[in-house]
DNA sequence: CGAGCGGTTGAGGCATGTCAAGAGTTGTGG
DNA sequence: CCACAACTCTTGACATGCCTCAACCGCTCG
């Protein structure tokens, strides 16, 4: 494990409050690995052997069925993913694939499970993390069922402008192809939708997003804390609604 | 609290392992209430004051946005719902509405939060419950994004035939109107889809479902543990993917 | 340089939603 | 006990959202 790795992990909400000796024990049992871009590091259905912590790079989580697949989330540093599978000692529900060269710390699931039985503060942190993850996915499910694709795209763009500090202009962090899959539509349809949104106060130039009329865009999106909000104190992690 | 209530709650995975005195304390602080049918007992956005445990009847959880709404889950006895909101002391993400006369035990969220800090076994149970809930919603999200409406309907019908003990014939537990909303489609579309599924080995007569060719139906559904499966040991609860 | 890939655009088709009407059922009040 | 209202479910006609297929552009990278 690199010397600079520990502190970054230690200050995550998930590990922040546990006893130092216990944290050290977990880290000692862990592995620090680097994966090349495009590598499938986890296949859905595999047994959950390790909690993954993204240190550098980014990871795509995809769901697969009947030869189809869709992006469920993108995880960025520093955050964890697939906590729930580790806890339940159950198969991963999603496939994980690096989007770029990515450094990951792997914490053995068995150590994790024994640890939250021994360290009450860690148990509470796990509870909070899981509750936050759960709520994020519920929000995501609401968005999918209550909004049409046009509204989802608009909501995504507005939300990320806010994340970018309310900037009137920012750059998309993911390929449009991937974004389309995440939003539950085809790349062609996303492309057309983006163009048509110019009449709703937002313009796209390549990967550049320019908000030309925030009020008009907001009127279309109708932002709602119960869909677009983030639980304070969550890693935003694991849920991966980071995309 | 009715004398027969305690044991039913006590044997839920969530409460099974905690210290008896602590369980009694939680129950003592709780309320036992009966609600008439069609009552909106929780409005989304309200502060999460109580963990709800359905003892009799059934409760619909719906998401709402911009005047639209859709059914996210139906909760049946004996199980809990809205655990995550209570834990995070955050607003409910869904509205809860009784489908019939329903008896509910209300556990104050504050007592819940202090309890899992004091009772390690309870903390572990909460962790397991939340992890199971989280996985259920992820499965649900995968189903929504990877399957079209026809496949979702077929999967639902096959799954519930299995839940009914592999019976070739069973009765729908919910109104078709509600089922349509749950599956993310309109009632009209569900009606047509059900009829068209006759060529795929399943026949519907009112609320009666008759599987005429299980192999053909299974071929369409392509059941997948990572979408249709249930985590063993979960209450199936809270997630409410019981619908 | 050329192959491969992401993105865009257009044409056309299927899936799904919308609107409207009517049958059957349930619940309620006179 | 009946009549009516309200509701679910179904069916048809129609509109539209979204996908599929295909072609093309531009960029990147071997």
């Amino acid at each position: 494990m690199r010397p600079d790795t520990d502190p970054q992990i230690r200050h995550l909400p998930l590990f922040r409050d546990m006893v130092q000796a216990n944290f050290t024990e977990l880290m000692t049992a862990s592995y620090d690995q680097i994966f090349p871009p495009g590598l499938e590091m986890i296949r859905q259905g595999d047994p959950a052997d390790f909690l993954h912590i993204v240190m550098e790079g980014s990871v795509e989580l995809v769901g697969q069925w009947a030869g189809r697949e869709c992006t469920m989330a993108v995880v960025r540093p520093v955050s964890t993913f697939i906590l729930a599978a580790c806890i339940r000692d159950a198969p991963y529900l999603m496939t994980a694939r690096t989007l770029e060269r990515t450094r990951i710390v792997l914490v053995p699931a068995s150590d994790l499970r024994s640890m939250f039985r021994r360290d009450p503060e860690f148990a509470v942190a796990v509870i909070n993390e899981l509750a936050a993850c759960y709520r994020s996915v519920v929000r995501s499910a609401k968005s999918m069922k209550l909004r049409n694709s046009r509204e989802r795209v608009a909501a995504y763009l507005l939300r990320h402008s806010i994340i970018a500090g309310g900037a009137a202009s920012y750059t998309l962090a993911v390929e449009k192809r991937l974004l389309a899959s995440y939003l539950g539509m085809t790349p062609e349809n996303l492309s057309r939708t983006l163009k048509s949104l110019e009449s709703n106060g937002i313009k796209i130039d390549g990967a550049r997003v320019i908000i030309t009329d925030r009020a008009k865009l907001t009127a279309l999106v109708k932002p709602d804390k119960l869909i677009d909000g983030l639980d304070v104190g969550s890693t935003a992690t694991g849920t991966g609604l980071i995309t």
Side-chain angles (χ1 to χ4, degrees), chain A:
Chain A
M1 191 91 76
R2 296 192 197 176
D4 63 324
T5 303
D6 270 32
Q8 296 194 69
I9 298 179
R10 177 66 162 159
H11 93 277
L12 288 174
L14 188 57
F15 298 104
R16 188 180 293 161
D17 300 321
M18 65 192 303
V19 172
Q20 177 61 43
N22 292 337
F23 176 70
T24 306
E25 189 182 324
L26 275 189
M27 289 302 103
T28 306
S30 301
Y31 306 91
D32 192 334
Q33 291 197 357
I34 293 189
F35 299 94
L39 188 92
E40 202 170 286
M41 45 200 308
I42 290 176
R43 204 165 314 179
Q44 70 172 36
D46 286 350
D49 296 325
F50 296 98
L51 174 69
H52 288 58
I53 311 177
V54 183
M55 302 307 298
E56 299 165 20
S58 53
V59 175
E60 177 189 17
L61 301 182
V62 312
Q64 297 161 317
W65 178 78
R68 305 170 203 168
E69 74 171 53
C70 74
T71 302
M72 305 297 289
V74 172
V75 190
R76 296 180 191 286
V78 177
S79 53
T80 66
F81 63 95
I82 333 220
L83 176 59
C86 293
I87 283 172
R88 293 203 65 83
D89 197 12
Y92 294 120
L93 293 179
M94 298 178 280
T95 291
R97 182 188 299 145
T98 54
L99 288 172
E100 51 195 314
R101 187 185 133 95
T102 299
R103 190 159 72 88
I104 304 266
V105 169
L106 301 145
V107 186
S110 55
D111 295 80
L112 208 76
R113 284 192 294 272
S114 70
M115 188 55 74
F116 64 66
R117 294 182 165 277
R118 279 160 43 201
D119 189 320
E121 286 303 320
F122 183 53
V124 171
V126 170
I127 287 174
N128 274 295
E129 179 80 4
L130 285 173
C133 293
Y134 174 70
R135 286 170 61 84
S136 288
V137 193
V138 169
R139 272 190 257 261
S140 175
K142 284 175 68 177
S143 182
M144 284 298 300
K145 293 183 82 169
L146 288 166
R147 286 174 169 156
N148 60 30
S149 68
R150 181 186 178 77
E151 289 160 343
R152 289 198 300 276
V153 172
Y156 178 91
L157 295 176
L158 177 56
R159 194 157 100 96
H160 279 257
S161 133
I162 293 166
I163 291 173
S169 166
Y170 65 96
T171 304
L172 288 175
V174 294
E175 286 180 349
K176 287 179 186 163
R177 181 179 196 72
L178 187 152
L179 181 56
S181 177
Y182 174 67
L183 294 173
M185 55 204 294
T186 60
E188 296 95 322
N189 195 16
L190 173 62
S191 187
R192 279 184 265 266
T193 302
L194 287 176
K195 174 166 278 191
S196 85
L197 280 175
E198 285 186 18
S199 58
N200 291 272
I202 199 159
K203 197 173 172 321
I204 276 76
D205 178 33
R208 183 121 221 107
V209 179
I210 302 140
I211 296 184
T212 56
D213 187 339
R214 190 167 222 94
K216 204 179 276 183
L217 180 60
T218 304
L220 171 64
V221 172
K222 301 189 211 357
D224 181 334
K225 288 196 174 180
L226 305 178
I227 296 181
D228 308 289
L230 283 180
D231 271 24
V232 275
S234 103
T235 328
T237 281
T239 105
L241 293 184
I242 305 173
T243 312

